[in-house]
Structure formats: structure tokens, C-alpha cells
Amino acid sequence: MASGLAVITLLGATPARAQAGADTVAAIRARGAVVCGVTGTTAGFSLPDSQGVMRGLDADSCRSVAAAIFGDASKIRFVNTTSQNRFTALQSGEVDLLVRNTTWTLSREASLGFEFASINFYDGQGFMVKKGLNVASARALDGATVCVQPGTTTELNLADYFRSNGMKFTPVVIESVEEIRTAFNSGRCDAYTNDASSLAAFRATQTNPADYLLLPEIISKEPLGAVVRKGDFKFFDIVRWAHFAQLTAEELGITSQNLASFADSPNPDVQRFMGKTGDLGKMLGLQPDWAVQIVRQLGNFGEMWDRNITPLGVQRGINNLWTKGGLQYAPPMR
């Protein structure tokens, strides 16, 4: 899901490329915590539990960066952001990175001065209806009212989909995620469109999830992941390789539970991962066991997925490892 460039321009934000040369890692260490922008409202991705602890795939992706830099995943501070203010929060330095269901696009890298360091969820835009509507396909939504957030790629994709299929619709445009879901539940719109992951998260939190139907059509590509300011490649490398370390661990069969058993492995790939050889930590400006700390405290990518996404009823699918038919692929750690 995406806020448009026009929103940033109207707010008068300074392009992040002006901050080239900034040392984000030094600022983080001086502060004693990584500050990460999240939604804070999306089950499975970032939502506080009953104890107020932020839980979810995005929240744990943020924690992986803290584990890499400090050796302590708890040295993290979360800032809730909206689709409208998230980019100004990153550009202004209010947050060090965003991991909040944000789509990687050309304009965001070329015009807004951002870099996407990783993709932790390959997603696509879908539609949800109530089963009582008796609709089994998005092609049957001609003339429907559709709840959608403003200034997002979701809004643009929605218009393109109906136009390309010769269909008409009436948008019900609401900024707040909570308000848009309330509007959908109250019957103000026939359908609710968003990233399929967000729709699944919404359905999972309802009293009667079986009353909601996620239609089969996926109308866009929405690669979601971690975003940083352009120009600080030291921090960019850490954020990117924190994700790749979790994928590599999964490929090697290393989990948070069996990590200790790999300590004396003769496998060269494992030795480099464990920080025994290769000086990979030094190259990143981190401790030799930076990758070990990530997996010890958060697990590999599969563990993180099972903890946060599997309970939503979402199959791993294209988010599986490349060796299992998915798109998650880590370059060699060497």
C-alpha cells in the first residue's frame, strides 16, 4: 500500500537524498535504540499484544536490525505511522526505517529519496466481501461501492482494475484503517480493498471470520519490506543483510532451537554464518556473531513467519524459500 508523491510535496518534506552522508548507525548507537516506523494496527505484522508488546512480522523485522547492531533485539522503539505520514517520518529522521506494509516502487526510490533494503512479504491487492453478498469474484463487483484509503497505490490500482474491465464502482474514501474497517462492517461499502495480507489480518481479528470472503483475484504486485533513507549505505547494508541472514539460516536448517548444535559445524557456509571465519561482521561494522544474535532472539525467517503469519490462515506460497518454489532468496554470505 502506498501514499502518493503528491502528499509528500504538499507537506513540504525535504527529499531524503539531502541527507546523504548521514551516519544512521552512529545515531542509533548514541540513542541506544533503533526507531522503527510501523502501522501498529495490523495483526500479524505490527499490533500490540495484551501486555502492550508489539507483535508481528514487521515488528520482528525491525527487531532483527536491533539484534544485529546491539546484539539485543529489545533495543527497539516503535512509532506508529499512517499511510499519509509515514514517508515524512522517515525523511525527517523521526524514524530510522519503515517496516509497515509499504510497497517497493520506482517513484519511491527515484523521487522520494528512499531505498528498499529487503522484501519480507510478497503481496498483492485483493478484495474482501461479506459472504451474504453472494459474490465469488471481483468481476461481479460492477456497480459496487468499495472502501479504500486515499492517496495510495491501492486507490490507483482499484481505478485501473475497474476501468480495464469496463466496470463501474463508487469509492468510499476513508483515511483511517480503523474507520474504513468499521465502515465496511456497518455496510457502507459492498467491498473492502487492500493488500491481501491486510485483509487476511482484518478477517482474523473478527468475531466470525467465516463471514468474510477474500475474493480470488489479486490485481497488483505489492512487494513489501524495509525502507531506509537513500545515501547511508552502511545502514542500508545492515538492514538488508539482517533479512538475508534469516533466510540463510532457514536454508541451512539453523533455527533458534538448534543453533548451538551448529557451533562446531565444518560446513564453510555455517562457519561464516556463525562468525567463525570470513570477517563478515567486520565488513558491516558489527560483531562477528551478529547473524547468530538475530536467529537466537528471533528465529530464522520461517520461524518468524510461523509465529506471526501462519495464525492468520495465510499460506506461505510465494513467500517460501526459492528451494521450495517461492521467491525468498538470499545471496551468498561470503
Side-chain angles (χ1 to χ4, degrees):
M1 184 168 49
S3 287
L5 175 59
V7 174
I8 301 300
T9 303
L10 288 172
L11 290 173
T14 301
R17 62 169 58 92
Q19 299 187 32
D23 191 338
T24 306
V25 178
I28 288 170
R29 286 189 167 129
R31 185 192 308 128
V34 175
V35 180
C36 191
V38 296
T39 66
T41 59
T42 307
F45 290 86
S46 58
L47 183 70
D49 64 14
S50 60
Q51 305 300 313
V53 178
M54 194 70 74
R55 303 294 186 188
L57 186 73
D58 287 349
D60 282 348
S61 293
C62 295
R63 290 186 175 99
S64 72
V65 178
I69 293 175
F70 293 110
D72 185 348
S74 71
K75 291 190 175 182
I76 187 80
R77 181 162 63 86
F78 295 104
V79 174
N80 290 0
T81 60
T82 69
S83 60
Q84 298 286 0
N85 70 17
R86 56 184 162 174
F87 295 137
T88 50
L90 180 58
Q91 288 176 321
S92 68
E94 180 184 352
V95 299
D96 301 313
L97 74 160
L98 289 175
V99 192
R100 48 100 58 227
N101 305 91
T102 298
T103 304
W104 186 347
T105 69
L106 184 152
S107 62
R108 288 170 178 172
E109 289 197 331
S111 296
L112 299 186
F114 298 146
E115 294 279 6
F116 281 76
S118 63
I119 298 173
N120 69 350
F121 198 102
Y122 288 91
D123 207 351
Q125 184 174 334
F127 295 91
M128 178 171 285
V129 297
K130 293 180 181 177
K131 285 191 176 178
L133 192 65
N134 294 318
V135 168
S137 168
R139 294 294 184 91
L141 292 175
D142 190 16
T145 54
V146 183
C147 280
V148 63
Q149 284 185 285
T152 63
T153 55
T154 305
E155 187 178 26
L156 298 174
N157 294 335
L158 173 64
D160 287 348
Y161 179 78
F162 275 79
R163 185 183 305 112
S164 64
N165 285 286
M167 296 159 47
K168 295 182 179 180
F169 75 102
T170 300
V172 178
V173 182
I174 302 172
E175 162 61 18
S176 166
V177 173
E178 292 79 8
E179 290 180 13
I180 204 170
R181 291 172 175 176
T182 299
F184 175 60
N185 275 332
S186 68
R188 283 184 59 191
C189 46
D190 301 311
Y192 171 26
T193 187
N194 206 330
D195 294 345
S197 60
S198 181
L199 296 176
F202 163 68
R203 180 176 60 184
T205 61
Q206 300 308 294
T207 304
N208 300 303
D211 292 343
Y212 299 82
L213 178 65
L214 188 58
L215 299 180
E217 289 84 0
I218 298 296
I219 67 171
S220 70
K221 294 186 294 183
E222 307 292 337
L224 312 177
V227 196
V228 300
R229 290 180 291 273
K230 186 172 288 187
D232 187 347
F233 287 102
K234 180 180 179 182
F235 185 54
F236 171 86
D237 287 345
I238 291 172
V239 175
R240 165 169 281 186
W241 283 95
H243 174 67
F244 286 155
Q246 290 185 292
L247 293 180
T248 299
E250 186 177 6
E251 291 179 2
L252 293 171
I254 301 173
T255 72
S256 59
Q257 301 303 309
N258 67 15
L259 183 62
S261 68
F262 283 83
D264 297 319
S265 171
N267 184 328
D269 289 331
V270 173
Q271 290 180 357
R272 284 189 288 268
F273 181 89
M274 302 295 285
K276 304 289 187 180
T277 62
D279 286 335
L280 301 184
K282 184 177 181 180
M283 294 176 191
L284 291 171
L286 303 174
Q287 293 297 313
D289 66 343
W290 65 278
V292 171
Q293 293 298 335
I294 293 174
V295 175
R296 175 176 291 134
Q297 297 175 55
L298 298 163
N300 64 32
F301 187 74
E303 289 179 279
M304 202 161 71
W305 180 281
D306 289 340
R307 181 168 62 246
N308 298 301
I309 304 301
T310 298
L312 300 179
V314 176
Q315 299 298 313
R316 191 160 172 190
I318 60 173
N319 285 287
N320 222 321
L321 293 178
W322 65 283
T323 53
K324 298 180 179 179
L327 298 178
Q328 291 290 358
Y329 181 104
M333 289 182 63
R334 61 178 63 159

